Amino acid sequence: KRNKKMLHINKIRENKETYITLLKVKNMDVTELFNTVIALDDSRKLTQQKADGFLAQGNQIANQIGELYKSGKTQEANTLKEESLLIKEESRVLQQQQSELEKEIQNILVQIPNVPHSSVPIGKSDADNITIKESGEKPTLMVEAKPHWELTSEYNLIDFELGNKITGAGFPVYINKGAKLQRALIAYFLDKNIAAGYTEYLPPHLVNEASGFGTGNLPDKEGQMYHVADDDLYLIPTAEVPVTNFFRDIIVKDFPIKCTAYTPCF
């Protein structure tokens, strides 16, 4: 769902205005980012051309030097050798510049979100959503119906105050039947998925930075992930993050792949 597949620079060039319009659906104006990344790519191409030219020139001179040494023309060979050293230095500088430009381009591309489909409506909240389909009937609750937080307190299923005491808001403590229900639901849904042909995994609860990039949680969602600074690892927001990254940087040929896992969601 969140796999971060970056836009290719050539696709941005070919569809610049269309992409700018479509990404406004996500309330993002990428005009400046597009202009910057295209300009950087132009510089990268020019730098690469210069570097390739120096490389070809250096190879040609190297062959000439060998021929001169064979012919006994040592002085001329030494002169060309000095010229070759200058060319190598120029080539090294250009290659470094090219590498820096590639890093700058990469840093911009990972900031650009995927382009939504043309059918996606523009909106800023749930109120702007379009209802495509409804099914079933909404129940009419009795007058004395209680919200879940009152029921969980009344039947001693969840202790919100205890969770707030030991950790903070949003970290409830499940008790007795509440805890048993959580455990049972985890086993129930894993078993249902396994019966449907899924392979169960128990992945690590921490992932590295590359995995964060692999599922699109980085670079723009650091504030939504817990970071273990000493080890430079991130607590996973869902099991999807480690499981999806099982297949990062590999070419998969056999489909379908069915994976299921339960993890805490930090």
Side-chain angles (χ1 to χ4, degrees), residues 130-150:
I130 296 174
T131 301
I132 297 174
K133 179 182 178 181
E134 289 188 359
S135 62
E137 295 182 6
K138 295 180 181 178
T140 301
L141 297 178
M142 61 189 75
V143 176
E144 66 273 18
K146 297 179 181 180
H148 73 273
W149 54 87
E150 289 186 15

Side-chain angles (χ1 to χ4, degrees), residues 56-238:
Q57 188 178 354
N59 291 335
Q60 184 179 4
I61 289 176
N63 293 331
Q64 290 176 348
I65 290 172
E67 293 297 327
L68 287 171
Y69 275 127
K70 287 179 183 178
S71 303
K73 299 178 180 179
T74 305
Q75 186 173 352
E76 293 179 30
N78 289 338
T79 300
L80 278 180
K81 197 171 183 179
E82 291 178 5
E83 184 179 344
S84 175
L85 291 174
L86 292 174
I87 289 174
K88 284 182 178 179
E89 177 60 22
E90 288 285 350
S91 180
R92 186 193 66 79
V93 171
L94 286 170
Q95 287 174 353
Q96 184 177 349
Q97 290 176 357
Q98 183 179 344
S99 177
E100 290 172 356
L101 286 167
E102 288 172 353
K103 287 179 181 178
E104 287 187 61
I105 291 169
Q106 176 77 6
N107 289 338
I108 291 176
L109 289 178
V110 296
Q111 297 177 47
I112 301 171
N114 291 327
V115 178
H117 190 267
S118 57
S119 64
V120 177
I122 296 176
K124 294 185 177 181
S125 70
D126 292 348
D128 300 310
N129 289 342
I130 296 174
T131 301
I132 297 174
K133 179 182 178 181
E134 289 188 359
S135 62
E137 295 182 6
K138 295 180 181 178
T140 301
L141 297 178
M142 61 189 75
V143 176
E144 66 273 18
K146 297 179 181 180
H148 73 273
W149 54 87
E150 289 186 15
L151 290 172
T152 55
S153 177
E154 181 177 336
Y155 292 100
N156 196 28
L157 302 178
I158 303 176
D159 193 325
F160 294 100
E161 292 301 321
L162 186 57
N164 189 52
K165 172 187 175 182
I166 62 174
T167 306
F171 292 88
V173 174
Y174 293 86
I175 306 170
N176 295 327
K177 290 182 179 180
K180 187 175 182 179
L181 177 61
Q182 292 295 308
R183 177 163 50 87
L185 285 172
I186 292 166
Y188 172 77
F189 284 113
L190 284 173
D191 288 343
K192 290 291 284 186
N193 285 351
I194 292 167
Y198 287 74
T199 301
E200 182 183 357
Y201 292 90
L202 182 60
H205 296 163
L206 294 104
V207 294
N208 54 30
E209 185 180 68
S211 294
F213 272 91
T215 46
N217 299 87
L218 298 175
D220 59 341
K221 297 178 180 65
E222 292 93 337
Q224 300 175 26
M225 299 175 70
Y226 292 98
H227 185 217
V228 184
D230 288 346
D231 298 309
D232 195 22
L233 296 174
Y234 293 86
L235 287 164
I236 59 173
T238 67

